[in-house]
C-alpha cells in the first residue's frame, strides 16, 4: 500500500514499471493486492500516460491481474480507466477510438457500477481529445450527457467547461454559434452552478473562433467581458490572450455587415486590459498575442517594441514572440532587421519562422500578413 501510494504521489514511473512492481508483489511475494491498491496502481498509470510514459495497454495488464484475482472494479477503478483513455486520446502516438470509451461504459453498466460526476467529466475529456483528432463530435458528448444524467449523475462546472470547449472546437471548424453557447451558460445557471473564470475564458475563446469566420464580433466579446466583471472575477493572462485574439480578428462594423477594416478601438481596449494585468503574469504567448493585435492595425513599431517591454519585466524572448514580431513587419527591410535581432539573440527558428522568411523574401505584400494568417 505504501509503495503504491508513493508511486501515485511521484507520478514519474512508467506504466511498464508499475506493472513490473505489481508482478513482483504478486508472483515473488505472494501479495494479494486489495481493490484500493489496484486503484492506486491504475491512478499511477493515468499519471504515467499524462507524462508520456504509459499507455492503455499498461492498464490492460492491471485489469488482467484484477480479473485473475477476482477483484471487481468499482467507480474509482473505472474513473481511472476513463482518465487513462482521455490522456491516451490526447497523444497522437496512441490509437484510441470512440468505441474504446463505449467499451468502458458498457462494462461499467454490466458490472452495475454507478458512474459519478468524475466519470462524466473524464468521459467528456476523452470525447474532447478524440474530437480534436476528428474521431468524435459534439453529438457524442450530447449522447453521453443524456446517458449519464439519466442515471442521476449531476454535472458540475467542469462538465459545462468541457461542453463549451467542444462548442469552441465546433466554432473553429465552421459550426456552432454564440447563441448555443449562451443557452449552455443558461442551463448551467439553471442547474445552480456558478460559472467560474475558466468557463468564461473558454467562452471568450469560442467567441474568437466565431469572429474568425465572421459569425460574431466585438459586441459578443465585450458581453463575455461584462459577464466576467459581473461575477467580480479578475482577468488572467488567459482572459487577456483570448480578448487580444478577438481584437486582432475583429473588423469594424458598418450599417450592413463589416467594413473589412481592422478594429483599432478593439485593439486599444485589449491593450488597456494587458496593462492592467500584473507584469509577472504576462507570458511570452500573451506578449505575442498583444503584438499580433497591434500588427493587425499596422502598428509595427509598438508591436516590435513589446519585446523590450517583456525583457524589462523579466520575460525572456522566445521563438513565439519573435515570430509575432516578424508577422508585424510591413516591409522587407524591417523584417530583415527583426530577423537579425532574433539571430543575434540566438533564438531558435522553427517551421513557422521559415514560412515567414519565405513569404517576406518571396515578394509577398507584408501589409497583408494578417489577412494571410487570419
Amino acid at each position: 500500500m505504501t509503495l503504491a501510494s508513493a508511486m501515485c504521489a511521484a507520478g514519474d514511473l512508467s506504466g511498464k514499471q508499475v506493472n513490473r512492481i505489481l508482478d513482483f508483489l504478486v508472483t515473488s511475494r505472494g501479495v494479494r493486492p486489495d481493490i484500493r491498491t489496484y486503484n492506486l496502481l491504475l491512478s499511477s498509470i493515468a499519471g504515467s500516460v499524462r507524462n508520456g510514459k504509459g499507455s492503455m495497454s499498461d492498464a490492460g495488464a492491471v485489469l488482467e491481474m484484477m480479473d485473475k484475482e477476482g477483484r471487481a472494479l468499482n467507480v474509482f477503478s473505472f474513473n481511472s480507466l476513463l482518465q487513462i483513455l482521455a490522456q491516451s486520446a490526447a497523444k497522437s502516438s496512441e490509437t484510441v477510438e470512440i468505441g474504446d470509451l463505449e467499451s468502458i461504459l458498457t462494462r461499467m453498466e454490466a458490472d452495475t457500477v454507478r458512474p459519478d460526476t468524475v466519470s462524466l467529466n473524464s468521459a467528456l475529456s476523452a470525447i474532447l481529445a478524440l474530437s480534436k483528432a476528428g474521431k468524435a463530435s459534439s453529438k457524442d458528448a450530447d449522447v453521453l450527457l443524456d446517458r449519464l444524467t439519466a442515471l442521476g449523475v449531476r454535472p458540475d462546472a467542469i462538465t459545462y467547461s468541457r461542453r463549451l470547449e467542444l462548442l469552441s472546437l465546433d466554432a473553429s471548424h465552421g459550426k456552432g454559434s454564440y447563441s448555443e453557447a449562451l443557452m449552455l451558460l443558461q442551463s448551467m445557471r439553471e442547474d445552480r452552478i456558478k460559472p467560474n473564470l475558466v468557463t468564461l475564458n473558454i467562452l471568450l475563446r469560442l467567441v474568437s473562433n466565431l469572429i474568425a469566420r465572421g459569425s460574431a464580433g466585438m459586441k459578443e466579446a465585450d458581453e463575455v467581458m461584462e459577464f466576467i466583471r459581473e461575477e467580480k472575477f479578475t482577468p488572467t493572462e488567459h482572459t487577456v490572450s483570448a480578448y487580444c485574439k478577438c481584437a486582432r480578428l475583429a473588423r469594424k462594423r458598418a450599417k450592413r455587415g463589416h467594413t473589412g477594416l481592422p478594429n483599432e478601438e478593439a485593439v486599444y481596449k485589449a491593450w488597456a486590459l494587458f496593462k492592467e494585468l500584473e507584469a509577472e503574469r504576462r507570458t511570452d504567448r500573451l506578449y505575442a498575442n498583444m503584438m499580433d493585435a497591434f500588427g493587425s492595425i499596422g502598428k509595427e513599431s509598438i508591436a516590435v517594441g513589446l519585446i523590450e517591454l517583456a525583457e524589462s519585466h523579466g520575460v525572456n524572448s522566445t521563438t513565439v514572440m519573435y515570430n509575432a514580431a516578424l508577422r508585424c513587419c510591413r516591409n522587407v527591410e524591417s523584417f530583415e532587421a527583426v530577423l537579425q535581432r532574433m539571430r543575434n539573440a540566438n533564438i531558435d527558428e522553427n517551421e513557422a519562422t521559415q514560412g515567414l522568411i519565405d513569404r517576406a523574401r518571396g515578394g509577398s505584400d507584408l501589409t497583408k500578413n494578417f489577412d494571410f494568417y487570419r
Side-chain angles (χ1 to χ4, degrees):
M1 178 69 72
T2 303
L3 179 59
S5 298
M7 287 190 296
C8 290
D12 57 2
L13 291 181
S14 70
K16 287 182 173 55
Q17 286 173 316
V18 172
N19 276 298
R20 279 200 293 269
I21 291 170
L22 175 60
D23 184 65
F24 172 77
L25 290 173
V26 174
T27 306
S28 302
R29 296 287 181 170
V31 174
R32 296 194 63 202
D34 59 13
I35 186 61
R36 186 179 175 191
T37 302
Y38 276 117
N39 286 344
L40 285 166
L41 290 167
L42 287 171
S43 180
S44 181
I45 290 173
S48 73
V49 174
R50 184 172 56 252
N51 295 330
K53 299 178 181 180
S55 66
M56 282 292 294
S57 61
D58 297 319
V62 174
L63 291 178
E64 186 178 331
M65 186 69 76
M66 291 179 75
D67 290 339
K68 184 178 178 181
E69 290 288 315
R71 298 294 185 198
L73 279 70
N74 60 20
V75 69
F76 301 106
S77 318
F78 281 108
N79 286 349
S80 287
L81 286 177
L82 289 167
Q83 288 160 13
I84 291 167
L85 180 71
Q87 295 292 342
S88 298
K91 307 286 184 185
S92 58
S93 57
E94 287 275 351
T95 304
V96 179
E97 305 292 339
I98 192 69
D100 296 313
L101 174 59
E102 178 59 32
S103 296
I104 295 174
L105 295 175
T106 300
R107 178 167 177 176
M108 209 171 182
E109 289 174 0
D111 290 358
T112 63
V113 175
R114 189 182 183 87
D116 59 15
T117 305
V118 175
S119 314
L120 173 59
N121 292 340
S122 298
L124 279 174
S125 293
I127 290 174
L128 178 61
L130 288 167
S131 296
K132 290 176 180 178
K135 297 180 178 181
S137 69
S138 291
K139 289 183 179 179
D140 295 303
D142 291 337
V143 170
L144 174 73
L145 282 162
D146 290 343
R147 181 177 183 175
L148 296 199
T149 53
L151 296 174
V153 178
R154 287 189 57 79
D156 62 6
I158 295 173
T159 310
Y160 280 101
S161 292
R162 292 286 180 276
R163 193 65 190 82
L164 274 172
E165 283 187 273
L166 279 160
L167 273 182
S168 182
L169 188 62
D170 283 347
S172 69
H173 293 152
K175 297 178 283 187
S177 66
Y178 184 61
S179 60
E180 283 183 76
L182 290 184
M183 286 171 61
L184 197 59
L185 204 63
Q186 182 59 31
S187 296
M188 187 177 189
R189 286 168 172 150
E190 287 172 0
D191 280 341
R192 297 183 179 180
I193 300 170
K194 182 179 178 180
N196 56 32
L197 186 55
V198 171
T199 309
L200 295 176
N201 283 345
I202 293 169
L203 180 58
L204 194 56
R205 290 203 303 273
L206 184 153
V207 169
S208 73
N209 288 334
L210 291 172
I211 292 175
R213 62 176 235 241
S215 300
M218 289 309 296
K219 176 184 174 183
E220 288 80 6
D222 287 335
E223 186 173 57
V224 178
M225 290 304 301
E226 186 57 34
F227 293 157
I228 290 171
R229 282 188 286 270
E230 286 173 358
E231 297 292 347
K232 295 182 169 54
F233 293 133
T234 301
T236 65
E237 62 273 26
H238 305 293
T239 316
V240 182
S241 281
Y243 194 83
C244 282
K245 184 180 177 184
C246 291
R248 170 172 65 83
L249 295 167
R251 292 294 179 261
K252 288 181 180 177
R253 284 189 178 275
K255 288 185 178 179
R256 295 183 181 181
H258 297 84
T259 64
L261 297 173
N263 194 326
E264 189 166 321
E265 180 185 355
V267 171
Y268 278 101
K269 286 171 76 173
W271 176 235
L273 273 177
F274 180 94
K275 290 189 293 183
E276 287 174 6
L277 190 69
E278 301 94 327
E280 59 270 17
R281 299 205 64 166
R282 298 177 195 160
T283 63
D284 63 334
R285 291 192 178 275
L286 175 54
Y287 274 100
N289 284 331
M290 191 69 251
M291 291 160 73
D292 277 333
F294 275 122
S296 72
I297 60 172
K299 303 295 182 181
E300 176 188 337
S301 60
I302 298 176
V304 175
L306 287 179
I307 292 177
E308 284 84 2
L309 180 65
E311 290 174 345
S312 72
H313 287 133
V315 178
N316 292 326
S317 295
T318 63
T319 307
V320 170
M321 289 170 61
Y322 266 99
N323 282 350
L326 290 170
R327 278 193 295 274
C328 295
C329 294
R330 297 175 67 79
N331 57 64
V332 176
E333 291 74 19
S334 60
F335 180 93
E336 292 293 349
V338 172
L339 180 62
Q340 191 58 52
R341 279 180 60 184
M342 183 179 186
R343 290 173 172 171
N344 289 344
N346 294 316
I347 304 296
D348 291 335
E349 298 175 30
N350 59 16
E351 188 176 339
T353 317
Q354 189 57 52
L356 287 160
I357 293 171
D358 293 343
R359 182 169 163 76
R361 294 177 178 173
S364 297
D365 182 355
L366 300 189
T367 66
K368 304 292 185 183
N369 267 358
F370 286 92
D371 291 325
F372 183 79
Y373 290 109
R374 187 173 173 80

